[in-house]
Amino acid sequence: MSGLFLTELTLSHFRSHRAGRVELDGRPVAVFGPNGAGKTNLLEAVSLFSPGRGLRRASAADMTRRPEALGWKVTGVLRSLHQMHEVEIWAENDAARQVKIDGKASTQLALGRIARVLWLIPAMDRLWIEGAEGRRRFLDRMTMSFIPDHAESSLIYEKAMRERNRLLKDQVRDAHWYSALEAQMARSGAVIQSNRQAALDMLRAAQAQAATAFPVAELDLQQTEGTMPATEANFLDALRESRFRDLAAGRSLVGPHRSDLYAVYAAKGVPASNCSTGEQKALLVSLILANARALAQDFGAPPLLLLDEVAAHLDAGRRAALYDEICALKAQAWMTGTGPELFDTITTRAQMFEVTEEAGTSVISAQ
């Protein structure tokens, strides 16, 4: 049996979970329980099987169950296509997160080569009406699902830009101080732009090829100011030409960090920012599903999907349609809700777990 899914997940002193273990078979996973019981913490643990800081963007120290523990550990057995991997992720004494894959010390970036994880959480419901930074992060998460090395290019770019911005704030005018940093920014920035465009092309193709009950979004990558240079050489020239303007601003004003993801509700021709709350949620769900369909072709299996409080802003008809599309994809989707009735149309096709709080710790029970 191929595919991408967890067959076991074990938590130790992770947030509200003193200890927890679930056995899984690849079907969708429905997790229900009262608010504050620890449902989202379970999804956050799964999100750590991909590079980055997880769905809450929390530090390793923040994930430790306090005050009784000085660290935490998450272990999973992962089916990745035709291979099985044992993955251990942990942190001790507020130090950075550590990873082992099949008993060998590894890096977070290596997780992106064996797993693909996408998520949709309530904090993203305002994605279309808040700042561009959140939309860039959303786009980069999708891009990284197709191109795991995108994370490394982003890290290189961010580090070089921070150092360049420090020079700008200090009003350093000697061109020699900027040359190496701008070369790094131009090289990695051009890769970031190319990766993002490739991801958008795959998303557009996935939306065009499949019927869905959710609204299709027309997507475009725009600059908040000016234009993004088309090549590495052009970007390097743009950085040099912008240096005096950047000195006045005290920061870099050109590059992929100034990009914005623009979306239009295709059937209505209405920008996503002007849609209703329910339409905005439906557009997000549509993009996550399109991303999953594209990955099923590109990677060879659909990703792990983490859908926290997915029923919010979806009526009963759209909830049922979502569950049908998840099952058609054969994706292991982890979904949370306050009660089992929210999953009534998928109960026989999913594994059901209840999360409750007992004696100050989260308890996971199979249903």
Side-chain angles (χ1 to χ4, degrees), residues 14-20 37 65 68 355-364:
F14 184 84
R15 291 205 183 262
S16 61
H17 295 262
R18 180 179 292 122
R65 180 178 167 84
E68 67 187 56
V355 178
T356 55
E357 184 181 0
E358 298 178 16
T361 187
S362 296
V363 177
I364 310 167

Side-chain angles (χ1 to χ4, degrees), residues 59-66 69-72 90-98:
S59 68
D62 288 340
M63 299 176 194
T64 302
R65 180 178 167 84
R66 304 288 188 181
L70 296 176
W72 54 267
W90 76 96
E92 296 175 337
N93 299 318
D94 296 343
R97 198 158 88 225
Q98 299 183 66

Side-chain angles (χ1 to χ4, degrees), residues 37-262:
K39 303 185 300 296
T40 303
N41 295 340
L42 185 61
L43 267 62
E44 183 180 25
V46 179
S47 75
L48 300 182
F49 285 79
S50 65
R53 298 173 62 183
L55 58 79
R56 283 195 177 106
R57 294 181 56 77
S59 68
D62 288 340
M63 299 176 194
T64 302
R65 180 178 167 84
R66 304 288 188 181
E68 67 187 56
L70 296 176
W72 54 267
K73 189 172 187 179
V74 173
T75 303
V77 178
L78 179 75
R79 162 74 73 175
S80 179
L81 302 179
H82 296 285
Q83 294 184 315
M84 299 294 292
H85 299 281
E86 183 171 342
V87 180
E88 301 170 75
I89 309 163
W90 76 96
E92 296 175 337
N93 299 318
D94 296 343
R97 198 158 88 225
Q98 299 183 66
V99 176
K100 277 187 179 180
I101 300 176
D102 299 327
K104 298 179 180 179
S106 190
T107 65
Q108 288 187 44
L109 293 177
L111 290 170
R113 298 183 176 91
I114 63 171
R116 302 289 193 272
V117 187
L118 301 176
W119 55 76
L120 186 58
I121 61 176
M124 296 162 65
D125 288 351
R126 296 177 59 82
L127 185 79
W128 304 117
I129 57 176
E130 293 188 338
E133 181 180 358
R135 290 186 290 277
R136 281 194 299 273
R137 192 180 302 127
F138 179 71
L139 174 58
D140 283 334
R141 168 61 54 180
M142 292 192 292
T143 302
M144 191 167 58
S145 74
F146 296 115
I147 310 168
D149 289 345
H150 182 72
E152 187 171 7
S153 298
S154 298
L155 289 172
I156 292 170
Y157 181 84
E158 291 291 336
K159 181 180 178 182
M161 184 176 68
R162 282 197 304 270
E163 294 180 15
R164 183 177 188 267
N165 285 349
R166 191 176 298 115
L167 295 176
L168 294 169
K169 288 177 182 177
D170 291 343
Q171 295 294 296
V172 174
R173 296 178 181 274
D174 188 339
H176 291 91
W177 287 91
Y178 291 92
S179 298
L181 294 175
E182 289 174 350
Q184 275 191 322
M185 286 179 67
R187 185 162 52 251
S188 55
V191 172
I192 290 170
Q193 183 74 0
S194 175
N195 289 347
R196 287 172 173 173
Q197 291 289 0
L200 288 179
D201 288 342
M202 285 187 273
L203 287 169
R204 293 183 187 110
Q207 289 187 122
Q209 291 169 3
T212 176
F214 292 87
V216 171
E218 294 177 356
L219 302 171
D220 191 21
L221 187 59
Q222 301 181 346
Q223 292 298 110
T224 55
E225 181 181 342
T227 58
M228 176 66 197
T231 67
E232 177 183 338
N234 290 341
F235 188 16
L236 184 58
D237 288 341
L239 286 169
R240 290 167 176 163
E241 292 170 5
S242 182
R243 200 177 295 156
F244 288 110
R245 191 165 62 104
D246 294 351
L247 277 165
R251 57 193 173 92
S252 302
L253 297 175
V254 60
H257 64 286
R258 304 282 288 177
S259 297
D260 193 2
L261 178 64
Y262 182 71

Side-chain angles (χ1 to χ4, degrees), residues 4-5 26-29 289 292-293 296 301-305 323 325-335 346 349:
L4 176 63
F5 54 89
R27 286 180 292 164
V29 179
L289 291 173
R293 288 193 296 270
L304 299 174
L305 294 176
Y323 301 153
E325 293 196 32
I326 286 170
C327 291
L329 267 169
K330 298 181 179 179
Q332 188 181 66
W334 296 65
M335 303 169 286
I346 198 176
R349 298 175 288 171

